[in-house]
Amino acid sequence: SPLAYASDPSPLQDFCVAINDPKDGVFVNGKFCKDPKLAKAEDFYYSGLNIPRNTSNPVGSTVTPVNVAQIPGLNTLGISLVRIDYAPNDGLNPPHTHPRATEILVVVEGTLYVGFVTSNTDNRLIAKVLYPGDVFVFPIGLIHFQFNEGKTKAVAFAGLSSQNPGVITIANAVFGPNPSINPDILVKAFQLDKNVVKKLQSKFWWANN
């Protein structure tokens, strides 16, 4: 059978600042581009990643993205950034995937237990405890997580190999979509009691909606 390869298109110009108004714009990689002669410094700028985020939520973490939605000049450049704040003791960036990006993470404060799971049929956990200055890579598309093992807050920054990497949080996607997945499917897939599945669906559905 024939093979097909796909990736973000390589830019054919210096940059393609994303705009929402299609008037006089050129559509490139999911966004319209403004006239490059009208580009300004603000199109390539974001401020505020030094500000700690509130982690008072059920998982005890907050992700602050800096992608094409925040910096329109990132369009077609194939890169983005996030700051992740973790609450003390058990702050968790729960198991998730980035469908369009590999992630490289650096810890700047605290202690994190991080890992990813390889694809079927191995499903092997590759994990490590990280300290400030340590770096870890999560390959594109694989389920991964970060967990704060320390008694103080933790902070990490991560680069991603897409201007719009996307994120699929596993529990939210499985138990919280709208409309809901038939509980019988989840009972069989996860080998759970139906009442447990319905409880999880109710919990995650309200969290998502």
Side-chain angles (χ1 to χ4, degrees):
S1 61
L3 297 175
Y5 297 91
S7 64
D8 288 346
S10 298
L12 301 178
Q13 65 287 319
D14 288 342
F15 47 78
C16 172
V17 176
I19 56 172
N20 294 321
D21 186 356
K23 182 180 179 182
D24 298 326
V26 177
F27 194 74
V28 178
N29 203 21
K31 298 286 185 180
F32 287 96
C33 303
K34 71 159 59 174
D35 184 337
K37 294 184 177 65
L38 301 178
K40 51 189 178 180
E42 285 72 20
D43 294 327
F44 304 90
Y45 173 79
Y46 177 90
S47 180
L49 277 191
N50 60 312
I51 301 171
R53 265 51 180 192
N54 184 356
T55 55
S56 299
N57 55 58
V59 295
S61 72
T62 297
V63 178
T64 305
V66 183
N67 57 44
V68 70
Q70 288 76 39
I71 301 181
L74 281 175
N75 191 41
T76 75
L77 298 185
I79 195 168
S80 58
L81 180 72
V82 297
R83 171 188 171 123
I84 314 168
D85 290 84
Y86 309 84
N89 297 313
D90 60 356
L92 172 68
N93 190 8
H96 63 282
T97 72
H98 301 292
R100 295 181 290 274
T102 290
E103 175 180 346
I104 183 167
L105 177 136
V106 57
V107 178
V108 297
E109 184 177 348
T111 303
L112 293 177
Y113 173 66
V114 309
F116 64 86
V117 179
T118 63
S119 56
N120 296 357
T121 57
D122 273 356
N123 294 135
R124 187 162 60 99
L125 173 64
I126 297 177
K128 190 170 180 61
V129 176
L130 305 182
Y131 303 94
D134 289 348
V135 176
F136 200 82
V137 173
F138 305 104
I140 185 170
L142 297 187
I143 294 174
H144 59 282
F145 61 87
Q146 302 106 35
F147 179 73
N148 185 0
E149 289 194 325
K151 296 181 179 179
T152 61
K153 69 176 183 177
V155 180
F157 290 87
L160 299 115
S161 61
S162 171
Q163 66 266 16
N164 186 20
V167 61
I168 301 170
T169 304
I170 307 305
N172 296 51
V174 171
F175 294 105
N178 186 10
S180 297
I181 297 173
N182 184 326
D184 292 334
I185 295 171
L186 301 182
V187 166
K188 188 164 187 177
F190 291 95
Q191 299 294 293
L192 294 173
D193 181 87
K194 193 166 187 175
N195 290 328
V196 173
V197 167
K198 288 186 174 181
K199 184 176 181 180
L200 288 168
Q201 285 185 312
S202 175
K203 180 178 181 178
F204 281 97
W205 191 91
W206 285 109
N208 284 359
N209 298 277

